[in-house]
């Protein structure tokens, strides 16, 4: 298709608006309207309509004191959404590899699919005697510390849609006995900001789990390590928590999450 053929399908107003944004981005400073329409090389009336539209939508903001314009926060949001659309496993793989090297523990990245936790990336420590999970392994959300952390961004309504009945499926020993108990555990995990599951799902194996947030401040994934002990030694606990937390923060940062307060 020739350039002339392509041009007839273009939306002129959109083109002009994007040209205004490009000018603001390239100048990296606040510009007056006169500077904008001159640098964008478009008629004043056309530039005025484009600026009014972009300002109304929050893509540019006006400084009322100087009557100048700059790029708005919504432009940054577009970038965050693009980053968040990338494969979380691809982003997280090198980070959990480094986590494995520092912690000397099997390291994992997992997401939630409905009522299941799915492992989407994992690396094993050469010295580990633990039978590691494989990528694609599914476990019940309500029976794992990873699953509980993945639910910490859920509203009560979303939670009840997942678990419409008070009795939980596959209510095995060691698992929450009811929906209400599970919800209380999730709220405690949310307030704490992490989960340490000592022999919670498998006897003799403990885990440390931290959430990975996306640009909407919702939990998109979790990072975890498996510690080959019934109870994590107090001498190692703080160090291991810190390295898992740092790995989760790095992935969250790459996903466009805002700094935690």
């Amino acid at each position: 298709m020739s350039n002339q053929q392509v041009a007839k399908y273009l939306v002129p107003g959109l083109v002009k608006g994007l040209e205004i944004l490009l000018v603001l981005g390239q100048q990296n400073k606040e510009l007056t309207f006169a500077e904008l329409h001159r640098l964008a090389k478009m008629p004043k009336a056309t530039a005025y309509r484009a600026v009014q539209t972009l300002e109304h939508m929050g893509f540019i903001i006006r400084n009322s004191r100087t009557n100048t314009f700059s790029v708005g926060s919504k432009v940054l949001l577009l970038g965050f959404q693009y980053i968040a659309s990338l494969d979380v496993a691809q982003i997280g793989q090198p980070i959990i590899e480094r986590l494995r090297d520092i912690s000397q523990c099997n390291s994992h990245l997992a997401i939630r699919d409905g009522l299941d936790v799915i492992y989407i990336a994992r690396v094993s420590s050469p010295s580990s005697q633990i039978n590691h999970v494989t990528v694609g392994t599914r476990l019940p959300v309500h029976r794992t510390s990873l699953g509980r952390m993945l639910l910490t961004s859920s509203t009560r309504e979303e939670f009840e849609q997942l678990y419409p009945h008070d009795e939980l499926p596959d209510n095995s020993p060691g698992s929450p006995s009811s929906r209400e108990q599970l919800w209380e555990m999730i709220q405690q995990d949310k307030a704490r900001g992490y989960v340490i599951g000592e022999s919670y799902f498998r006897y003799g194996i403990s885990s440390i789990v931290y959430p990975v947030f996306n640009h909407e401040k919702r939990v998109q994934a979790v990072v975890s390590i498996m510690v080959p002990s019934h109870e994590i030694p107090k001498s190692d606990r703080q160090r291991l928590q810190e390295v898992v937390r740092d790995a989760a923060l790095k992935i969250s940062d790459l996903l466009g999450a805002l700094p935690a307060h």
Side-chain angles (χ1 to χ4, degrees):
M1 187 179 292
S2 68
N3 289 340
Q4 187 175 1
Q5 289 174 310
V6 170
K8 71 179 183 179
Y9 294 107
L10 301 182
V11 180
L14 178 58
V15 172
K16 299 303 181 184
L18 292 174
E19 288 175 351
I20 293 289
L21 287 177
L22 287 172
V23 166
L24 278 172
Q26 290 165 356
Q27 296 299 310
N28 197 29
K29 65 177 183 177
E30 293 186 358
L31 297 174
T32 64
F33 175 73
E35 291 171 325
L36 267 178
H37 86 79
R38 177 175 56 81
L39 290 169
K41 298 178 181 178
M42 66 179 67
K44 184 180 292 187
T46 303
Y48 181 81
R49 288 194 296 271
V51 167
Q52 290 297 309
T53 302
L54 291 169
E55 183 182 3
H56 174 73
M57 296 186 68
F59 288 107
I60 66 175
I61 55 176
R62 183 196 302 262
N63 184 329
S64 58
R65 184 176 58 83
T66 59
N67 203 28
T68 52
F69 298 90
S70 59
V71 174
S73 60
K74 274 201 173 180
V75 173
L76 299 177
L77 182 60
L78 290 176
F80 290 156
Q81 288 173 332
Y82 168 73
I83 293 169
S85 70
L86 299 176
D87 189 344
V88 179
Q90 182 180 2
I91 292 172
Q93 184 71 35
I95 296 174
I96 65 169
E97 287 175 2
R98 177 164 174 74
L99 173 60
R100 181 269 318 274
D101 295 341
I102 296 173
S103 67
Q104 292 298 298
C105 296
N106 294 356
S107 304
H108 310 90
L109 187 61
I111 61 173
R112 181 174 67 85
D113 179 29
L115 297 177
D116 292 336
V117 173
I118 305 178
Y119 287 85
I120 60 172
R122 58 90 179 167
V123 285
S124 300
S125 170
S127 60
S128 176
Q129 301 300 311
I130 300 175
N131 292 325
H132 56 74
V133 295
T134 58
V135 171
T137 296
R138 287 175 174 260
L139 296 175
V141 165
H142 70 283
R143 292 188 59 198
T144 63
S145 52
L146 285 77
R148 298 205 318 265
M149 182 53 67
L150 283 164
L151 285 176
T152 53
S153 286
S154 300
T155 65
R156 179 70 194 207
E157 182 180 2
E158 291 169 337
F159 176 74
E160 291 185 355
Q161 287 177 351
L162 285 173
Y163 299 102
H165 307 294
D166 185 59
E167 184 177 345
L168 296 174
D170 188 25
N171 194 355
S172 304
S175 300
S177 59
S178 68
R179 181 179 67 178
E180 287 307 310
Q181 185 183 6
L182 175 60
W183 176 253
E184 290 177 8
M185 293 173 73
I186 291 168
Q187 299 316 299
Q188 293 169 4
D189 297 336
K190 182 178 182 177
R192 191 187 312 110
Y194 63 90
V195 179
I196 295 180
E198 295 179 308
S199 290
Y200 179 74
F201 188 71
R202 291 171 60 184
Y203 184 80
I205 297 175
S206 300
S207 62
I208 299 176
V209 187
Y210 273 82
V212 171
F213 294 94
N214 60 22
H215 70 282
E216 296 178 330
K217 292 187 177 181
R218 288 181 65 89
V219 177
Q220 183 163 338
V222 291
V223 172
S224 69
I225 60 172
M226 285 185 178
V227 184
S229 60
H230 170 64
E231 183 175 345
I232 301 171
K234 292 182 179 179
S235 57
D236 290 337
R237 184 177 297 241
Q238 183 175 349
R239 177 184 67 85
L240 291 174
Q241 279 188 244
E242 288 176 355
V243 295
V244 179
R245 180 199 63 201
D246 289 348
L249 287 173
K250 287 177 183 176
I251 300 173
S252 297
D253 191 38
L254 291 172
L255 293 175
L258 297 175
H261 295 288

Short mmCIF file of all heavy atoms in Angstrom, two decimals, residues 12 16 33 42-51:
data_model
loop_
_atom_site.label_atom_id
_atom_site.label_comp_id
_atom_site.label_asym_id
_atom_site.label_seq_id
_atom_site.Cartn_x
_atom_site.Cartn_y
_atom_site.Cartn_z
N PRO A 12 -6.83 12.93 11.09
CA PRO A 12 -6.04 14.17 11.17
C PRO A 12 -5.91 14.74 12.58
O PRO A 12 -4.83 15.15 13.00
CB PRO A 12 -6.81 15.13 10.25
CG PRO A 12 -7.53 14.24 9.30
CD PRO A 12 -7.90 13.02 10.08
N LYS A 16 -2.43 15.39 14.68
CA LYS A 16 -2.04 16.70 15.22
C LYS A 16 -1.79 16.63 16.72
O LYS A 16 -0.84 17.24 17.23
CB LYS A 16 -3.11 17.74 14.90
CG LYS A 16 -3.36 17.96 13.41
CD LYS A 16 -2.09 18.36 12.68
CE LYS A 16 -2.36 18.61 11.20
NZ LYS A 16 -1.11 18.90 10.45
N PHE A 33 1.62 28.49 24.26
CA PHE A 33 0.85 28.05 23.10
C PHE A 33 1.51 28.52 21.80
O PHE A 33 1.56 27.78 20.82
CB PHE A 33 -0.59 28.56 23.17
CG PHE A 33 -1.39 28.23 21.95
CD1 PHE A 33 -1.82 26.95 21.72
CD2 PHE A 33 -1.68 29.22 21.01
CE1 PHE A 33 -2.54 26.64 20.57
CE2 PHE A 33 -2.40 28.93 19.87
CZ PHE A 33 -2.84 27.62 19.65
N MET A 42 1.94 23.94 12.61
CA MET A 42 0.55 23.75 12.22
C MET A 42 -0.21 25.05 12.44
O MET A 42 0.22 25.89 13.25
CB MET A 42 -0.10 22.59 13.00
CG MET A 42 -0.24 22.82 14.49
SD MET A 42 -1.03 21.41 15.36
CE MET A 42 0.20 20.12 15.17
N PRO A 43 -1.32 25.25 11.74
CA PRO A 43 -2.11 26.47 11.92
C PRO A 43 -2.54 26.66 13.37
O PRO A 43 -2.77 25.69 14.09
CB PRO A 43 -3.31 26.25 11.00
CG PRO A 43 -2.85 25.26 9.99
CD PRO A 43 -1.89 24.36 10.71
N LYS A 44 -2.70 27.91 13.76
CA LYS A 44 -3.04 28.23 15.14
C LYS A 44 -4.37 27.59 15.55
O LYS A 44 -4.47 27.03 16.65
CB LYS A 44 -3.11 29.75 15.32
CG LYS A 44 -3.38 30.18 16.76
CD LYS A 44 -3.45 31.70 16.90
CE LYS A 44 -2.10 32.33 16.65
NZ LYS A 44 -2.11 33.79 16.95
N ALA A 45 -5.37 27.65 14.70
CA ALA A 45 -6.68 27.09 15.05
C ALA A 45 -6.59 25.58 15.25
O ALA A 45 -7.20 25.01 16.17
CB ALA A 45 -7.70 27.42 13.97
N THR A 46 -5.83 24.91 14.40
CA THR A 46 -5.66 23.45 14.51
C THR A 46 -4.93 23.11 15.80
O THR A 46 -5.33 22.19 16.54
CB THR A 46 -4.86 22.91 13.31
OG1 THR A 46 -5.54 23.26 12.11
CG2 THR A 46 -4.72 21.40 13.39
N ALA A 47 -3.86 23.84 16.09
CA ALA A 47 -3.09 23.60 17.30
C ALA A 47 -3.95 23.86 18.54
O ALA A 47 -3.87 23.12 19.53
CB ALA A 47 -1.85 24.49 17.32
N TYR A 48 -4.79 24.88 18.48
CA TYR A 48 -5.64 25.22 19.62
C TYR A 48 -6.59 24.07 19.95
O TYR A 48 -6.74 23.69 21.11
CB TYR A 48 -6.43 26.49 19.33
CG TYR A 48 -7.32 26.93 20.47
CD1 TYR A 48 -6.78 27.64 21.55
CD2 TYR A 48 -8.67 26.64 20.47
CE1 TYR A 48 -7.58 28.03 22.60
CE2 TYR A 48 -9.48 27.02 21.53
CZ TYR A 48 -8.93 27.72 22.59
OH TYR A 48 -9.73 28.10 23.64
N ARG A 49 -7.22 23.50 18.91
CA ARG A 49 -8.15 22.39 19.14
C ARG A 49 -7.41 21.17 19.71
O ARG A 49 -7.91 20.49 20.61
CB ARG A 49 -8.86 22.02 17.84
CG ARG A 49 -9.90 23.03 17.38
CD ARG A 49 -10.79 22.46 16.28
NE ARG A 49 -10.03 22.16 15.07
CZ ARG A 49 -9.82 23.03 14.09
NH1 ARG A 49 -10.32 24.26 14.17
NH2 ARG A 49 -9.13 22.68 13.03
N ALA A 50 -6.23 20.90 19.18
CA ALA A 50 -5.46 19.76 19.67
C ALA A 50 -5.05 19.95 21.13
O ALA A 50 -5.16 19.03 21.96
CB ALA A 50 -4.21 19.56 18.79
N VAL A 51 -4.59 21.15 21.46
CA VAL A 51 -4.17 21.44 22.84
C VAL A 51 -5.35 21.33 23.80
O VAL A 51 -5.24 20.76 24.89
CB VAL A 51 -3.51 22.83 22.91
CG1 VAL A 51 -3.36 23.28 24.37
CG2 VAL A 51 -2.15 22.81 22.23
#
